[in-house]
């Protein structure tokens, strides 16, 4: 089990409100990602669930029981920290065994679980080393190992990949997703990286300034963002947001069109523009096009190679059904 | 990429560096050598460097004719006693400031530091009179308390900077892992804090051992440490160079060795973390 | 719950340290201030009439005090000049690559661990003695007549002894600062066409400036209270040529029993030290935020 419900949860440090009243349901076995720019309260929200911070008001229920006043250890959750927070004076084995030892589990069971975790995470070879002798990716795995041996109701991840280099990050992302497939335990994952959110989550919670902007599956957020913030935050490269006369034609204050939803041509199309920068990746071509419809360059993506260069004239045609319309308050018009 | 230093340049630097090093070290080296000379060789003109008859007689004389061990024991009592007292009071304080800081923590730390800057003579007269009044003059307890107080700010600061480096996430991880406060302290924090506490002890022992103002002014014989013992050689009848050297070596050797081991920690302790 | 609980616990844990230091600082200081306004001698401790600023006017008009004040400043400035400049040079040398770096490092820092009375006596007798001292013998071997250091240049002698004790401190801290200078910066300057001297002047020295400030301030605190070195070498003499304020105050109290005057001197020393302390506390406070 691993069902977590937040009811009217609010957090303030003195007069500074970090999280205004907020409700959220996390169902058993879900992979939920909290995503948002830094300072949006996503880590605080995770720490409230963990019990590392006290809620100012509101209620946290885990599997139907009120956990608001429970200390962290009694909530049955395991956490993987950004800095991994491994105990530097203990070997990998002792690090992983620590929570079990704290639970006074018997020696044989501890050994069995630690060995299993070590095997699952390919840590056998380093089991007697200290954290200081491990690479970033290995440390990350030890931290995960320490979390899984407890067989918790839910895993909490606080930006676990932000200290890894790009290549390792992709690998660990896959490993964590696989782990979720296998264990089917609830996971709550905090990140500022929307790519991680899109690739891993069953459900994404987009946060800004402590407020939930939108909750939904990755594709829901992609295809129907509720407001300008979500529209701009989800998707890479960012959605082009165009206001003024062009938006007026759609009876909106702002219209949004993703780079991949613009048809590109060298001969004809709705909008004329001049290529400012072209990025040729082979698999895709990204163009930054200066166009009279918008004061900032419009980003366009074309499949495969599209042979134009800086200074060339191109024509852009938006796919009508992929245009997002927003009102003056930034809310999506449906 | 580091460039290759030419061998020639390296040899020149080596010679220069060793020359400077030995020049600075020379008074200690000379004291060391003199302590093995006879009194006559110690004042021979021209001085003898290594070609003398090495003898241990000065060390024997120091031990048998003076109560050297009495002073030595006092030095040990005073430095260990004041350090122990300092740790008992400073560990909780530094702990609280590092792990649950408030808005005023910084002010408290700086204020503690400012007490270290109070010159001894600013408080010397009342302390002296109080010591006379309460019969603490020339008592180990009295001097231990004074040494504890003058070094307390440094102990708090050093411990604070070390504790500060223990990441808070580790404590949170321990809490998530179900460690009680007691277990959190004994199994996670203490092992991580031990190196910092050890260097604090070393620096404080060095400072107490070498403290001279209070030791010289508040003790005469009963509680007098080695500082006072050596000072007694300044009187004219004590002008025996070889014996002075032997006594000096006995007084500085233990702390010199401790100091050499703790040189890395010394910088941050003495600069209150301002230079690391 | 937990947060509130730890806050009051934290206060309780800090209390002993704060209270003992508060008492240690406030009570004797207040007493010193009070004594400094009394005509109070140990020969007549029963009658201690209030004389206001009498002790201060006496002290400030006493030529010995003025000499001691001047000596204190000369001592501090002289030692600072030698240790800072010497420390920079030695630190630059130790930062180079040579055989036996670690051993030379140990040799250089050793004097710092020598207790003040030992340092002073070794220098007075075995280094500076006009007849048997090593310096005298070296000088006479090249035909220069030996100097009676303690009699002819007492203050300079003490400056040399104290500088020898503090040179390692300056060296060690400046070396630490020097080693934190990134190689990149020096290489960038080299690419920009700077020579070794320009690199030192525009890159290395500014990088060390904070460490130099720290060295100056911390040493000043300790140098204002030099006592043992004077006691076992010159005893402040000849006359008052090598008396500093600390020595003078201790002497007033222990030798002449003049508690009132000594207290006034103590207060003057406190004021002097405070001027330095204000700068140091600010500097370190700034560093705390970083």
């Amino acid at each position: 089990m691993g069902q977590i419900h937040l009811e009217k949860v609010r957090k303030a440090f003195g007069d500074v409100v970090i999280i205004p009243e907020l409700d959220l349901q996390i169902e058993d076995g879900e992979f939920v990602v909290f995503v948002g720019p830094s300072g949006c309260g996503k880590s605080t929200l995770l720490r409230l669930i963990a019990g590392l911070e006290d809620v100012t008001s509101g209620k946290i229920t885990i599997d139907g029981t009120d956990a608001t006043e429970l200390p962290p250890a009694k909530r049955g959750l395991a956490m993987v920290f950004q800095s991994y927070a491994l105990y530097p004076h203990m070997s990998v084995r002792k690090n992983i065994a620590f929570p079990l030892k704290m639970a006074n589990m018997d020696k044989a069971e501890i050994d069995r679980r630690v060995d299993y975790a070590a095997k699952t995470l390919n840590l056998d070879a380093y089991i007697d080393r200290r954290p200081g002798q491990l690479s970033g990716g290995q440390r990350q795995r030890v931290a995960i190992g320490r979390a899984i041996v407890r067989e918790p109701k839910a895993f909490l991840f606080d930006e676990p990949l932000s200290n890894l280099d790009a290549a390792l990050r992709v690998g660990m992302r896959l490993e964590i997703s696989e782990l979720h497939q296998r264990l089917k335990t609830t996971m709550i994952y905090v990140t500022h990286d929307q790519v991680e959110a899109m690739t891993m989550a069953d459900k994404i919670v987009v946060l800004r300034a402590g407020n939930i902007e939108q909750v939904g599956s990755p594709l829901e957020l992609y295809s129907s963002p509720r407001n300008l913030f979500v529209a701009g935050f989800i998707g890479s490269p960012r959605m082009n947001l165009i206001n003024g006369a062009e938006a007026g034609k759609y009876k909106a204050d702002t219209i949004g069109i993703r780079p991949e939803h613009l048809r590109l041509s060298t001969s004809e199309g709705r909008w004329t523009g001049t290529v400012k920068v072209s990025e040729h990746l082979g698999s895709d071509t990204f163009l930054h096009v200066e166009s009279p419809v918008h004061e900032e360059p419009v980003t366009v993506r074309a499949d495969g190679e599209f042979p134009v260069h800086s200074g060339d004239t191109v024509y852009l045609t938006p796919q009508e059904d992929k245009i997002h319309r927003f009102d003056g308050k930034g809310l999506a018009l449906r | 990429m580091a460039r290759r230093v030419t061998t020639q340049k390296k040899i020149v630097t080596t010679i220069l560096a060793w020359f400077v090093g030995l020049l600075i070290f020379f008074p200690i080296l000379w004291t060391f050598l003199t302590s093995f000379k006879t009194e006559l060789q110690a004042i021979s003109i021209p001085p003898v460097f290594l070609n003398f008859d090495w003898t241990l007689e000065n060390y024997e004389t120091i031990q048998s004719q003076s109560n050297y061990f009495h002073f030595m024991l006092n030095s040990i009592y005073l430095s260990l006693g004041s350090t122990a007292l300092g740790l008992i009071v400073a560990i909780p304080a530094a702990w609280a400031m590092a792990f649950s800081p408030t808005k005023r923590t910084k002010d408290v730390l700086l204020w503690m530091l400012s007490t270290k800057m109070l010159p001894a003579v600013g408080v010397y007269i009342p302390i002296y009179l109080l010591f006379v009044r309460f019969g603490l003059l020339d008592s180990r307890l009295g001097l231990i308390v004074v040494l504890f107080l003058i070094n307390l700010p440094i102990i708090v600061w050093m411990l604070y900077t070390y504790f500060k480096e223990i990441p808070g996430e580790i404590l949170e991880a321990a809490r998530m892992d179900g460690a009680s406060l007691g277990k959190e302290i004994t199994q996670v924090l203490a092992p991580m804090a031990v190196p910092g506490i050890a260097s604090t002890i070393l620096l404080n022992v060095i400072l107490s051992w070498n403290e001279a103002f209070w030791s010289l002014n508040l003790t005469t014989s009963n509680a007098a440490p080695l500082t006072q013992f050596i000072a007694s050689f300044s009187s004219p009848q004590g002008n025996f160079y070889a014996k002075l050297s032997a006594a000096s070596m006995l007084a500085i050797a233990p702390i010199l060795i401790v100091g050499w081991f703790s040189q890395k920690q010394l910088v941050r302790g003495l600069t209150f973390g301002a230079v690391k | 719950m937990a947060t509130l609980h730890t806050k009051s616990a934290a206060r309780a844990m800090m209390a002993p340290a704060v209270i003992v230091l508060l008492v240690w600082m406030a009570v004797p200081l207040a007493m010193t201030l009070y004594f400094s306004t009394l005509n109070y001698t140990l020969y007549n401790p029963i009658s201690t009439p209030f004389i206001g600023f009498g002790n201060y006017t006496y002290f400030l008009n006493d030529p010995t005090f003025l000499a001691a004040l001047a000596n204190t400043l000369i001592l501090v400035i002289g030692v600072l000049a030698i240790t800072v400049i010497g420390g920079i040079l030695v630190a630059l040398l130790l930062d180079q690559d040579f055989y036996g770096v670690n051993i030379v490092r140990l040799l250089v820092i050793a004097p710092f661990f020598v207790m003040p009375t030992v340092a002073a006596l070794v220098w007075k007798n075995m280094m500076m003695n006009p007849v048997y001292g090593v310096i005298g013998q070296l000088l006479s071997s090249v035909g220069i007549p030996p100097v009676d250091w303690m009699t002819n240049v007492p203050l300079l002698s003490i400056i040399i002894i104290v500088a020898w004790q503090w040179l390692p401190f300056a060296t060690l801290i400046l070396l630490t600062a020097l080693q934190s200078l990134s190689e990149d910066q020096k290489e960038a300057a080299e690419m920009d066409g700077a020579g070794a001297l320009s690199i030192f002047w525009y890159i290395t020295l500014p990088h060390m400036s904070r460490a130099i400030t720290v060295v100056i301030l911390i040493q000043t605190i300790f140098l204002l209270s030099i006592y043992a070195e004077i006691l076992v070498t010159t005893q402040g003499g000849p006359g008052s040529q090598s008396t500093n304020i600390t020595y003078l105050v201790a002497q007033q109290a222990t030798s002449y029993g003049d508690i009132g005057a000594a207290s006034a001197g103590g207060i003057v020393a406190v004021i002097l030290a405070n001027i330095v302390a204000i700068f140091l506390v600010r500097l370190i406070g700034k560093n705390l935020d970083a």
Side-chain angles (χ1 to χ4, degrees):
Chain A
M1 287 291 279
Q3 204 180 41
I4 300 168
H5 289 186
L6 308 186
E7 262 176 76
K8 293 188 173 155
V9 164
R10 183 171 172 278
K11 176 67 181 176
F13 291 105
D15 295 336
V16 187
V17 179
I18 309 294
I19 295 175
E21 279 195 3
L22 164 158
D23 294 287
L24 183 66
Q25 325 281 328
I26 294 165
E27 303 309 329
D28 184 31
E30 259 185 334
F31 197 122
V32 179
V33 175
F34 295 171
V35 70
S38 57
C40 70
K42 55 191 188 297
S43 281
T44 308
L45 190 56
L46 190 75
R47 294 165 59 82
L48 288 174
I49 296 172
L52 294 170
E53 305 273 358
D54 303 326
V55 296
T56 309
S57 61
K59 191 171 161 191
I60 297 174
T61 344
I62 299 174
D63 285 345
T65 46
D66 185 352
T68 319
E69 298 289 319
L70 281 183
K74 296 270 156 65
R75 298 189 183 197
L77 309 174
M79 183 146 164
V80 175
F81 291 85
Q82 184 172 7
S83 67
Y84 319 139
L86 300 179
Y87 310 119
H89 55 286
M90 298 183 195
S91 65
V92 168
R93 172 178 291 280
K94 287 197 173 141
N95 259 287
I96 298 177
F98 189 75
L100 305 179
K101 208 170 111 194
M102 289 300 110
N104 292 320
M105 201 174 275
D106 70 73
K107 189 91 177 54
E109 177 66 7
I110 292 181
D111 285 345
R112 197 189 62 75
R113 287 202 193 185
V114 172
D115 287 337
Y116 179 74
K119 195 172 289 169
T120 319
L121 293 160
N122 287 323
L123 285 167
D124 314 53
Y126 321 109
I127 197 83
D128 291 315
R129 295 211 194 154
R130 295 237 175 141
Q133 301 163 289
L134 302 180
S135 71
Q138 290 162 347
R139 284 182 212 185
Q140 180 67 76
R141 281 210 271 284
V142 177
I144 294 173
R146 190 171 65 185
I148 57 178
V149 286
R150 294 179 53 192
E151 298 175 358
K153 292 175 188 156
F155 292 97
L156 311 179
F157 292 92
D158 189 5
E159 306 220 19
L161 305 186
S162 57
N163 287 339
L164 298 179
D165 62 45
L168 261 175
R169 212 177 299 168
V170 176
M172 282 309 297
R173 210 163 75 195
L174 275 172
E175 279 192 42
I176 294 175
S177 293
E178 275 171 28
L179 196 67
H180 181 241
Q181 300 291 333
R182 191 148 21 108
L183 301 175
K184 300 200 164 35
T185 311
T186 311
M187 291 189 176
I188 307 176
Y189 187 106
V190 164
T191 180
H192 62 268
D193 180 352
Q194 60 94 18
V195 177
E196 279 177 26
M198 294 296 281
T199 50
M200 301 169 88
D202 295 324
K203 181 153 98 187
I204 296 178
V205 178
V206 183
L207 289 156
R208 179 174 57 161
N211 286 305
I212 295 182
E213 296 288 308
Q214 190 169 3
V215 180
S217 72
L219 284 181
E220 272 167 30
L221 298 192
Y222 177 83
S223 54
S224 42
R226 212 170 62 86
N227 57 30
L228 276 177
F229 178 77
V230 178
F233 197 79
I234 300 290
S236 170
R238 288 186 69 203
M239 182 188 285
N240 296 298
L241 295 169
I242 297 163
N243 34 34
E246 235 5 84
K249 290 180 191 163
Y250 292 90
K251 297 199 184 72
D253 284 86
T254 308
I255 54 166
I257 181 80
R258 296 196 184 277
E260 54 273 37
H261 297 148
L262 283 163
R263 244 197 328 275
L264 197 53
S265 160
T266 47
S267 51
E268 51 167 13
R270 254 186 70 191
W271 300 334
T272 320
T274 314
V275 176
K276 205 174 155 215
V277 179
S278 62
E279 300 167 328
H280 303 270
L281 303 181
S283 58
D284 315 79
T285 305
F286 293 104
L287 302 179
H288 301 272
V289 180
E290 275 187 329
S291 158
V293 296
H294 193 44
E295 60 266 32
E296 278 169 39
V298 174
T299 315
V300 194
R301 201 207 92 182
D303 267 338
E305 173 60 3
F306 191 83
V308 289
H309 295 280
S310 186
D312 292 353
T313 302
V314 289
Y315 299 91
L316 312 174
T317 312
Q319 296 175 25
E320 290 296 326
D321 60 329
K322 304 285 189 189
I323 286 177
H324 304 268
R325 301 185 308 128
F326 301 95
D327 66 12
K329 289 177 190 151
L331 288 174
L333 295 162
R334 296 270 155 80
Chain B
M1 224 176 67
R3 242 159 310 171
R4 260 190 50 214
V5 179
T6 58
T7 323
Q8 200 184 359
K9 193 193 162 209
K10 195 169 172 179
I11 287 169
V12 172
T13 319
T14 305
I15 293 168
L16 188 62
W18 276 89
F19 175 74
V20 171
L22 286 171
L23 191 69
I24 291 172
F25 189 69
F26 182 77
I28 299 173
L29 178 67
W30 191 248
T31 309
F32 176 76
L33 293 174
T34 307
S35 72
F36 294 105
K37 296 175 185 172
T38 61
E39 288 297 350
L40 220 57
Q41 283 170 327
I43 54 169
S44 75
I45 301 172
V48 285
F49 192 64
L50 288 171
N51 51 330
F52 56 85
D53 312 316
W54 292 66
T55 170
L56 282 171
E57 76 178 83
N58 301 308
Y59 288 94
E60 282 155 17
T61 318
I62 292 291
Q63 284 188 35
S64 57
Q65 292 189 359
S66 68
N67 36 2
Y68 166 77
F69 277 107
H70 167 75
F71 297 100
M72 173 87 172
L73 271 182
N74 277 338
S75 273
I76 294 173
Y77 278 133
L78 293 171
S79 49
L80 293 186
S82 66
T83 305
L85 207 54
L87 287 180
I88 292 169
V89 174
I91 288 179
W95 191 285
M97 288 192 273
F99 294 122
S100 35
T102 63
K103 272 176 276 175
R104 275 176 306 167
T105 299
K106 192 184 140 186
D107 297 330
V108 173
L109 272 168
L110 291 177
W111 168 75
M112 284 189 171
L113 183 59
S114 70
T115 68
K116 178 70 201 160
M117 293 167 198
L118 189 65
V121 287
V123 293
Y124 166 59
I125 310 287
I127 296 292
Y128 183 80
L129 294 177
L130 288 171
F131 266 51
V132 174
R133 173 84 179 68
F134 293 104
L136 286 169
L137 217 53
D138 205 17
S139 74
R140 283 181 197 147
L141 179 68
L143 192 52
I144 283 180
V145 170
V146 168
L147 291 178
F148 149 68
L149 287 166
I150 62 168
N151 288 329
L152 183 60
I154 292 189
I155 304 187
V156 171
W157 263 86
M158 254 185 108
L159 289 174
Y160 171 78
T161 59
Y162 278 112
F163 288 169
K164 203 69 190 153
E165 276 174 16
I166 299 176
E169 281 198 343
I170 292 219
L171 305 189
E172 291 179 350
R175 231 168 289 162
M176 291 292 294
D177 285 345
S180 60
L181 183 64
K183 290 241 171 80
E184 187 181 320
I185 291 173
T186 54
Q187 307 220 356
V188 178
L189 264 168
M192 291 174 66
V194 159
I197 294 175
S199 3
T200 308
I201 292 176
L202 286 180
L203 177 68
N204 201 59
V205 166
I206 294 172
L207 290 177
S208 311
W209 189 276
N210 288 344
E211 200 286 324
F213 181 83
W214 294 102
S215 314
L216 289 175
N217 280 306
L218 295 181
T219 66
T220 46
S221 62
N222 179 38
L226 285 168
T227 320
Q228 184 73 269
F229 170 66
I230 297 295
S232 69
F233 278 79
S234 68
S235 50
Q237 71 270 23
N239 259 347
F240 294 108
Y241 287 9
K243 283 184 196 61
L244 168 65
S245 298
S248 297
M249 284 320 292
L250 287 171
I252 65 171
I255 230 60
L256 190 57
I257 291 162
V258 172
W260 274 341
F261 277 111
S262 63
Q263 51 154 325
K264 292 242 163 65
Q265 285 71 39
L266 213 70
V267 173
R268 90 197 256 172
L270 285 170
T271 59
F272 307 99
V275 174
K276 273 186 199 160
Chain C
M1 35 155 223
T3 332
L4 274 180
H5 188 71
T6 40
K7 251 185 200 143
S8 53
R11 214 163 287 158
M13 284 159 83
M14 273 166 61
V18 171
I19 290 167
V20 292
L21 278 178
L22 196 63
V23 172
W24 164 249
M25 189 163 99
V27 174
L29 201 57
M31 285 170 78
T32 308
L33 206 56
Y34 172 63
F35 291 157
S36 75
T37 61
L38 304 179
N39 183 3
Y40 182 178
T41 63
L42 286 180
Y43 307 112
N44 188 6
I46 311 296
S47 149
T48 57
F50 178 77
I51 52 162
F53 286 104
N55 284 315
Y56 291 92
T57 41
Y58 160 73
F59 224 103
L60 294 170
N61 288 315
D62 180 12
T64 317
F65 172 77
L66 294 177
L69 186 62
N71 288 340
T72 305
L73 296 178
I74 295 170
L75 181 62
V76 170
I77 293 168
V79 174
L80 282 178
I82 298 174
T83 52
V84 170
I85 296 170
I88 291 174
L89 295 177
V90 179
L92 283 172
L93 185 62
L94 292 186
D95 195 34
Q96 308 294 317
D97 181 32
F98 61 88
Y99 299 104
V101 183
N102 291 324
I103 299 171
V104 173
R105 234 180 109 110
L106 292 183
L107 295 182
V108 169
I109 63 166
F112 188 72
F113 305 119
V114 175
M115 61 174 62
T117 45
V118 168
L121 281 181
V122 164
W123 274 89
K124 179 192 176 187
N125 292 315
M126 281 146 46
M127 296 293 125
M128 290 172 163
N129 184 294
V131 185
Y132 307 115
V134 174
I135 298 176
Q137 298 210 26
L138 265 180
L139 290 181
S140 39
S141 71
V142 293
I144 302 171
V147 186
D148 186 354
W149 293 84
M150 295 301 156
T151 315
N152 296 337
V153 280
L155 195 56
L156 177 66
S157 306
I158 289 168
I159 289 176
I160 293 173
I161 297 171
V162 176
W164 178 74
Q165 287 178 279
W166 284 92
L167 180 65
F169 172 79
T171 305
L172 203 56
I173 284 167
L174 296 175
L175 183 61
T176 309
L178 204 54
Q179 286 171 342
S180 71
L181 176 62
S182 78
E183 205 58 32
D184 288 0
Q185 268 194 47
K186 282 192 257 178
E187 285 176 353
E190 222 174 312
M191 295 295 287
D192 291 341
L197 215 60
S198 303
I199 291 180
F200 173 75
W201 193 253
Y202 292 107
I203 310 286
T204 314
L205 208 56
H207 175 80
M208 285 202 287
S209 64
R210 219 179 56 130
I212 292 173
T213 319
V214 170
V215 167
I216 290 176
L217 293 172
I218 290 177
Q219 280 199 32
T220 306
I221 299 296
F222 284 93
L223 296 178
L224 283 173
S225 303
I226 290 294
Y227 175 76
E229 291 84 344
I230 298 174
L231 179 75
V232 299
T233 54
T234 63
Q235 306 216 310
S240 55
Q241 281 184 50
S242 60
T243 300
N244 71 351
I245 291 192
T246 304
Y247 192 78
L248 182 67
V249 170
Q251 207 184 16
Q252 287 280 343
T254 42
S255 307
Y256 310 131
D258 191 343
I259 299 299
S263 299
I267 295 299
V268 173
V270 169
I271 293 168
L272 264 182
N274 265 327
I275 297 169
V276 183
I278 288 168
F279 288 104
L280 181 54
V281 167
R282 265 201 206 153
L283 187 84
I284 290 173
K286 247 184 223 155
N287 197 50
L288 262 189
D289 298 329

